[in-house]
Amino acid sequence: MAPYFRGAPPGLPFRFDVKTLRRGLNFTLTTACGDIDLLGEITGGGNYDELLPHCITLNVSGASALCLNLEHLIHVKRAAGRPKDFDAIAELETLRRKP
């Protein structure tokens, strides 16, 4: 997969291993399979243990995945306050209103 810090200049030394993961919290990476964000904590939501009560399990292509429920996803996107999050909130609010 050859993960590399997204937006970093080419040639920056980076080793993706357990030691690196333990030393960091959030990683935004580019890989041969596409971009991925590994987030140990999110604004307005906290860490894994704090987010877990707000999760639902979804089955995606035969695999189970924990995802934030719609209400909490809207909450953390508001807390993040980025323009792209505000754009997403409008769509999420529409989904929330559907029966």
Side-chain angles (χ1 to χ4, degrees):
M1 280 184 38
Y4 194 74
F5 283 121
R6 194 175 322 136
L12 184 70
F14 175 66
R15 180 178 292 174
F16 188 68
D17 57 15
V18 172
K19 192 174 181 180
T20 299
L21 289 172
R22 286 187 176 145
R23 289 183 173 172
L25 183 62
N26 294 336
F27 297 88
T28 55
L29 304 170
T30 297
T31 76
C33 297
D35 291 346
I36 186 169
D37 297 346
L38 304 176
L39 306 175
E41 187 173 286
I42 60 174
T43 302
N47 63 31
Y48 179 84
D49 290 332
E50 294 165 315
L51 291 165
L52 196 54
H54 306 284
C55 288
I56 58 172
T57 301
L58 299 176
N59 291 311
V60 181
S61 299
S64 293
L66 282 175
C67 300
L68 284 178
N69 64 41
L70 190 55
E71 293 297 321
H72 210 65
L73 181 58
I74 292 168
H75 168 78
V76 298
K77 288 199 168 288
R78 273 201 183 98
R82 301 173 301 183
K84 70 179 186 177
D85 291 310
F86 288 127
D87 291 342
I89 288 169
E91 294 177 37
L92 295 171
E93 293 280 0
T94 300
L95 289 173
R96 182 168 64 174
R97 287 190 292 272
K98 288 192 174 192

